[in-house]
Amino acid sequence: MSVAETGRPVVVIGLDMGDGELIRAWSKQGYLPNFAALIGEGTWIELESTARALHTSTWPTFATGSLPGRHGVYYPYQPRPGHQEAQLVSADQYGVSTLWKRADEQGRRCIVYDVPETFPEPGFGGQAIFEWGTWAWYGARCAQPAELLARLKQRFGIYPLKMEAKRLGARFPDPVLLEKRLHSSIAHKAASFEWLLAQSQWDLALMVFGETHPAGHYLWPHGVSCITDPGDTRFDAIRRVYVSLDDALGSIRAALPGNATLMVVSGDGVTANNCGCHLVPDVLQKLGFATPPAVAEEGATEGRRGLSLGRIKDMVPKGARRWIADHLPWWLRDKIGASIRSENIDWARTRAFALPTDLEGCIRINLKGREPQGIVAAEDYDALCEDIANRFRELINPATGEAAVREVWIRNKIFPGPVQDQLPDIMVTWNNSAPISAMSSARMGLVEQESPDPRTGTHSPRGFCLARGDRFARGASATGRLEDIAPTVLDLVAAKAGEMDGSVLYDR
C-alpha cells in the first residue's frame, strides 16, 4: 500500500549548518513567524550529532541512519586503505544504502533534492537531484532520471549562488554580494522544490537548503566568539538570510497536503571559527610522531637537492602565492597541495600524520598493511592512539592559559564498524573560546602560526529536528540522535529500516 493511499505523506527539509539556537531565539523575537508557528504546533528535538567529532559526517549519518564506522563518509578527501594519503571520496565508499533507496525498494515514491555528500544509487526509481545547490560538492551535478536536470534548468535557470566551497578555496567572498545571492538562491530552491512536488505523486520528499552553510561561514560577525544576544545588530546579515529561509518554509508548507508530516533537520550549527587544525602537522612533528625529510647536507647544490614543489612555493612571494592559488582550478590546487604535504613527510620515520580537514584535527596512523609505507605494527596501534590523544589533551592556548583542545576522539571507540578504516584514527576538537594561533605544553614546547582560514564562522556540534505531524506532540520538546532521523522517516512511510544504528524517535 502506498503512503499516498493512506494520506500520510512525509516531507523532510534539511538546513545545512542551520543553527537551532538562532532559529529559536529569532522565532521568539518575531523575525521567523513560520518557524515560530511550526515550533508551537510540533516537537523540538535536540539531536546528539556525529558533528561532535566529525562535523562533515552529519549528512551521510542523516541519510543512512548509521554512524560513520558503518557508512564510511565524512569529507571530500578521505583516507582509503591501500593509499598513503587521502583520496577524493566516491560513491563506492558508502558502506550502506540511503533511507530513500530503502524506501524506494519498498515501493515508496521518493523525491530527493540536494542532500549533501550523497551520490546516485544504482536501481533507484524515484526522482533525485545532486549538487545543484549544495555548498561543497562531493560528486558531479546530476539527476535520476538524467533528463530531470535539464528540465529543472530550463524551468528555473541556473542556481543563483554561483559559488562552491572547493572552487572558492581560501578566498573570502564579498559579504554584500554573497548575501544578495543567498536570498535569491533560497527563493530559487523553494520554488523549484515546490515544482518537483507538483510534477508527480510522491510519498516521501527530502530537500536541503545549502544556503545556511556559507551564511554561517562568511556572515557570522567578526570577533564574536559565541551567541550571547542574537538581537545584536552584528548578526543582522545572517539573520536576514534566516528571514528568507523562514519565508521559503512558509511557502513550501502552504504547498503541502494539510495532513503531511513535516520535519526540519540540521545536524550541526554555527559558532566562531577559532580552530587549531592548522597547527596539527607541527604539533605531531614537535612531539616526535611525524618526521620531515632529512635536511640536505650543507653545501649541496640545488641540482643535488632537487627543486621540489614545496621549494618552488617558498620561492614565490606570499601575495603571489595567494593569487596563483585563487586562480588555479580547484582540482589542480588540491593536487599540488597534497604533493607538497607528502614531500614534507619522511614516511619511513613517521608514525602518525595529519589528514586534510576543515575543522577537526584529523590524524592517521601510518599502519603496516594499511598504508603502503606504513611502519606501525598492528599490536602497537592502540597504545600509539592513546599516547597521541594524551599528548594533545596537554596542549594549552598561550593566549588564554586554557586548554586548546576540547576533546580527543579515538575512532574505534566512538565510530566502530566495518568501514571505520575510511575515517581518521584520531579526531581532535578545539576549545573555541578564543582564536588559536599557538599551542604549547611542557612536553612539546611552543608551536605558533596564524590560521590561514579567513572564515569568521564555522560548525558547532548542535543538531536539531523540528517535527510536526500525527506522531509528534504539539509544543513539546525531546532529545534524540541524528542517526534516529532515517529510521523515523522510514517508519512514517510504513517502510522497514533494516539494520541501522538509529531508532524511531517516538513510541509506536
Side-chain angles (χ1 to χ4, degrees):
M1 180 182 295
S2 74
V3 174
E5 292 170 354
T6 67
R8 295 285 188 269
V10 176
V11 175
V12 183
I13 297 175
L15 308 180
D16 192 10
M17 202 174 163
D19 194 276
E21 187 175 345
L22 292 177
I23 288 171
R24 291 215 280 189
W26 288 333
S27 295
K28 289 179 181 178
Q29 294 173 352
Y31 292 106
L32 309 179
N34 293 298
F35 273 107
L38 196 58
I39 290 170
E41 297 168 10
T43 299
W44 184 281
I45 306 167
E46 295 286 349
L47 295 177
E48 179 184 298
S49 174
T50 57
R52 67 193 187 278
L54 282 174
H55 74 280
T56 43
S57 69
T58 53
W59 289 115
T61 299
F62 159 86
T64 64
S66 300
L67 295 171
R70 292 188 63 222
H71 64 65
V73 176
Y74 81 96
Y75 196 64
Y77 296 92
Q78 297 190 196
R80 273 198 183 194
H83 295 268
Q84 190 64 32
E85 290 201 278
Q87 305 293 306
L88 186 64
V89 71
S90 59
D92 63 3
Q93 287 187 244
Y94 262 85
V96 288
S97 298
T98 61
L99 71 93
W100 50 89
K101 178 65 183 304
R102 297 188 191 209
D104 177 74
E105 290 171 343
Q106 297 174 65
R108 307 301 180 262
R109 298 163 297 188
C110 300
I111 295 172
V112 183
Y113 188 8
D114 265 355
V115 178
E117 303 164 40
T118 61
F119 300 85
E121 292 170 278
F124 177 71
Q127 298 182 77
I129 297 169
F130 301 90
E131 311 292 26
W132 179 256
T134 50
W135 175 238
W137 287 16
Y138 277 48
R141 181 174 279 172
C142 60
Q144 293 178 289
E147 61 269 18
L148 181 60
L149 202 64
R151 290 172 54 208
L152 174 68
K153 186 176 180 180
Q154 182 179 30
R155 177 69 176 79
F156 294 96
I158 198 68
Y159 177 65
L161 186 57
K162 300 177 183 177
M163 298 179 190
E164 187 270 335
K166 294 199 300 295
R167 288 154 182 82
L168 186 64
R171 288 174 289 170
F172 196 99
D174 175 73
V176 175
L177 176 62
L178 173 64
E179 184 189 339
K180 180 180 177 180
R181 290 186 180 178
L182 288 174
H183 292 306
S184 58
S185 297
I186 289 170
H188 172 105
K189 181 66 73 69
S192 54
F193 183 54
E194 292 170 29
W195 172 76
L196 285 170
L197 296 178
Q199 293 301 297
S200 61
Q201 292 185 318
W202 51 272
D203 305 314
L204 171 61
L206 306 97
M207 183 272 284
V208 175
F209 283 105
E211 294 79 11
T212 40
H213 195 150
H217 278 314
Y218 300 105
L219 300 182
W220 179 272
H222 180 74
V224 178
S225 293
C226 61
I227 302 169
T228 55
D229 176 15
D232 188 326
T233 57
R234 291 176 294 179
F235 284 88
D236 282 356
I238 192 169
R239 187 179 65 234
R240 288 191 294 264
V241 173
Y242 277 72
V243 169
S244 287
L245 187 66
D246 185 78
D247 292 340
L249 176 64
S251 178
I252 292 170
R253 186 174 176 186
L256 300 179
N259 57 358
T261 295
L262 175 60
M263 303 173 71
V264 180
V265 179
S266 179
D268 57 358
V270 188
T271 191
N273 185 17
N274 294 328
C275 301
C277 52
H278 61 290
L279 292 170
V280 170
D282 289 342
V283 171
L284 289 172
Q285 285 192 16
K286 287 275 281 188
L287 289 171
F289 298 113
T291 304
V295 178
E297 64 233 46
E298 190 173 351
T301 65
E302 191 65 64
R304 286 176 61 192
R305 288 191 292 176
L307 199 58
S308 68
L309 284 171
R311 289 186 54 74
I312 293 172
K313 173 189 168 187
D314 291 341
M315 293 166 63
V316 177
K318 285 187 177 180
R321 284 185 227 165
R322 180 73 272 150
W323 186 92
I324 293 169
D326 288 345
H327 289 80
L328 287 174
W330 68 269
W331 57 268
L332 180 56
R333 182 182 66 239
D334 291 348
K335 189 171 184 178
I336 291 172
S339 296
I340 292 173
R341 287 193 301 271
S342 183
E343 69 185 25
N344 285 330
I345 298 173
D346 183 345
W347 295 110
R349 297 188 295 158
T350 289
R351 293 179 291 159
F353 57 98
L355 291 167
T357 184
D358 187 33
L359 175 58
E360 298 87 13
C362 292
I363 299 169
R364 185 79 161 172
I365 302 301
N366 194 20
L367 188 64
K368 281 183 182 178
R370 187 182 66 181
E371 275 67 47
Q373 300 181 62
I375 64 170
V376 176
E379 59 268 25
D380 297 327
Y381 173 89
D382 289 337
L384 179 57
C385 286
E386 291 289 352
D387 190 21
I388 293 172
N390 289 333
R391 301 293 80 78
F392 269 81
R393 292 187 183 110
E394 296 172 353
L395 296 175
I396 299 297
N397 181 351
T400 64
E402 298 177 352
V405 170
R406 186 178 78 236
E407 185 53 273
V408 183
W409 309 89
I410 295 176
R411 181 206 67 205
N412 53 17
K413 292 184 177 181
I414 185 174
F415 297 138
V419 294
Q420 61 175 291
D421 271 335
Q422 295 176 182
L423 309 177
D425 294 300
I426 300 166
M427 295 145 277
V428 182
T429 57
W430 310 103
N431 174 359
N432 72 330
S433 61
I436 302 175
S437 58
M439 289 189 278
S440 64
S441 71
R443 192 184 306 263
M444 179 187 72
L446 177 71
V447 298
E448 52 187 338
Q449 177 191 344
E450 292 294 330
S451 172
D453 187 352
R455 298 171 301 177
T456 52
T458 197
H459 302 255
S460 81
R462 300 185 301 265
F464 77 92
C465 172
L466 175 55
R468 177 198 177 278
D470 291 345
R471 293 283 193 166
F472 300 98
R474 293 176 62 90
S477 60
T479 59
R481 301 170 298 165
L482 181 59
E483 59 268 28
D484 295 337
I485 299 298
T488 299
V489 170
L490 288 169
D491 191 71
L492 286 167
V493 297
K496 295 180 180 179
E499 186 180 355
M500 289 185 173
D501 292 319
S503 56
V504 176
L505 282 166
Y506 47 75
D507 295 329
R508 300 186 191 183

